[in-house]
Short mmCIF file of all heavy atoms in Angstrom, two decimals:
data_model
loop_
_atom_site.label_atom_id
_atom_site.label_comp_id
_atom_site.label_asym_id
_atom_site.label_seq_id
_atom_site.Cartn_x
_atom_site.Cartn_y
_atom_site.Cartn_z
N GLY B 42 142.70 90.98 118.43
CA GLY B 42 141.24 91.08 118.35
C GLY B 42 140.57 90.46 119.55
O GLY B 42 139.67 91.06 120.16
N ALA B 43 141.03 89.25 119.92
CA ALA B 43 140.41 88.57 121.06
C ALA B 43 140.66 89.35 122.35
O ALA B 43 139.75 89.49 123.18
CB ALA B 43 140.94 87.15 121.18
N GLY B 44 141.89 89.90 122.48
CA GLY B 44 142.19 90.69 123.68
C GLY B 44 141.33 91.94 123.75
O GLY B 44 140.81 92.30 124.81
N ALA B 45 141.15 92.60 122.57
CA ALA B 45 140.33 93.82 122.56
C ALA B 45 138.89 93.49 122.92
O ALA B 45 138.25 94.21 123.71
CB ALA B 45 140.39 94.46 121.18
N VAL B 46 138.36 92.38 122.37
CA VAL B 46 136.99 91.98 122.71
C VAL B 46 136.88 91.70 124.19
O VAL B 46 135.91 92.09 124.85
CB VAL B 46 136.57 90.76 121.86
CG1 VAL B 46 135.28 90.16 122.38
CG2 VAL B 46 136.39 91.15 120.43
N ALA B 47 137.93 91.05 124.75
CA ALA B 47 137.89 90.72 126.17
C ALA B 47 137.88 91.99 127.01
O ALA B 47 137.10 92.12 127.96
CB ALA B 47 139.09 89.86 126.53
N PHE B 48 138.75 92.98 126.65
CA PHE B 48 138.82 94.20 127.48
C PHE B 48 137.55 95.02 127.34
O PHE B 48 137.00 95.49 128.34
CB PHE B 48 140.03 95.04 127.08
CG PHE B 48 141.27 94.60 127.76
CD1 PHE B 48 142.32 94.05 127.06
CD2 PHE B 48 141.37 94.71 129.15
CE1 PHE B 48 143.46 93.61 127.71
CE2 PHE B 48 142.50 94.28 129.80
CZ PHE B 48 143.55 93.73 129.07
N LEU B 49 137.07 95.18 126.08
CA LEU B 49 135.89 96.03 125.88
C LEU B 49 134.63 95.34 126.37
O LEU B 49 133.66 96.00 126.74
CB LEU B 49 135.75 96.39 124.40
CG LEU B 49 136.90 97.24 123.87
CD1 LEU B 49 136.74 97.44 122.39
CD2 LEU B 49 136.93 98.58 124.58
N GLY B 50 134.66 93.99 126.37
CA GLY B 50 133.45 93.27 126.76
C GLY B 50 133.39 92.94 128.22
O GLY B 50 132.52 92.18 128.65
N TRP B 51 134.31 93.48 129.02
CA TRP B 51 134.33 93.14 130.44
C TRP B 51 133.00 93.49 131.11
O TRP B 51 132.48 92.74 131.93
CB TRP B 51 135.49 93.89 131.12
CG TRP B 51 135.74 93.38 132.48
CD1 TRP B 51 135.27 93.91 133.65
CD2 TRP B 51 136.52 92.25 132.85
NE1 TRP B 51 135.71 93.17 134.71
CE2 TRP B 51 136.49 92.14 134.24
CE3 TRP B 51 137.25 91.30 132.11
CZ2 TRP B 51 137.14 91.13 134.94
CZ3 TRP B 51 137.91 90.30 132.80
CH2 TRP B 51 137.85 90.23 134.19
N GLY B 52 132.44 94.62 130.71
CA GLY B 52 131.17 95.03 131.31
C GLY B 52 129.97 94.35 130.70
O GLY B 52 128.87 94.45 131.24
N GLY B 53 130.17 93.65 129.58
CA GLY B 53 129.06 92.95 128.95
C GLY B 53 128.67 93.58 127.62
O GLY B 53 128.32 94.74 127.56
N ILE B 54 128.78 92.80 126.52
CA ILE B 54 128.27 93.22 125.21
C ILE B 54 127.40 92.08 124.72
O ILE B 54 127.75 90.92 124.93
CB ILE B 54 129.37 93.37 124.14
CG1 ILE B 54 130.60 94.07 124.66
CG2 ILE B 54 128.85 94.07 122.91
CD1 ILE B 54 131.72 94.09 123.64
N SER B 55 126.29 92.38 124.07
CA SER B 55 125.60 91.29 123.40
C SER B 55 125.06 91.81 122.09
O SER B 55 124.54 92.93 122.02
CB SER B 55 124.50 90.70 124.27
OG SER B 55 123.50 91.65 124.47
N THR B 56 125.21 91.02 121.02
CA THR B 56 124.71 91.40 119.71
C THR B 56 124.01 90.20 119.11
O THR B 56 124.26 89.06 119.50
CB THR B 56 125.85 91.79 118.74
OG1 THR B 56 126.84 90.79 118.83
CG2 THR B 56 126.41 93.12 119.06
N VAL B 57 123.13 90.47 118.15
CA VAL B 57 122.50 89.40 117.38
C VAL B 57 122.87 89.64 115.94
O VAL B 57 122.66 90.73 115.41
CB VAL B 57 120.98 89.40 117.58
CG1 VAL B 57 120.37 88.26 116.80
CG2 VAL B 57 120.64 89.28 119.03
N MET B 58 123.46 88.62 115.29
CA MET B 58 123.95 88.81 113.93
C MET B 58 122.78 88.86 112.95
O MET B 58 121.76 88.19 113.15
CB MET B 58 124.88 87.66 113.53
CG MET B 58 126.03 87.42 114.46
SD MET B 58 127.05 88.86 114.66
CE MET B 58 127.75 89.00 113.03
#
Side-chain angles (χ1 to χ4, degrees):
Chain B
V46 168
F48 275 114
L49 296 175
W51 192 264
I54 317 174
S55 66
T56 48
V57 182
M58 305 303 292

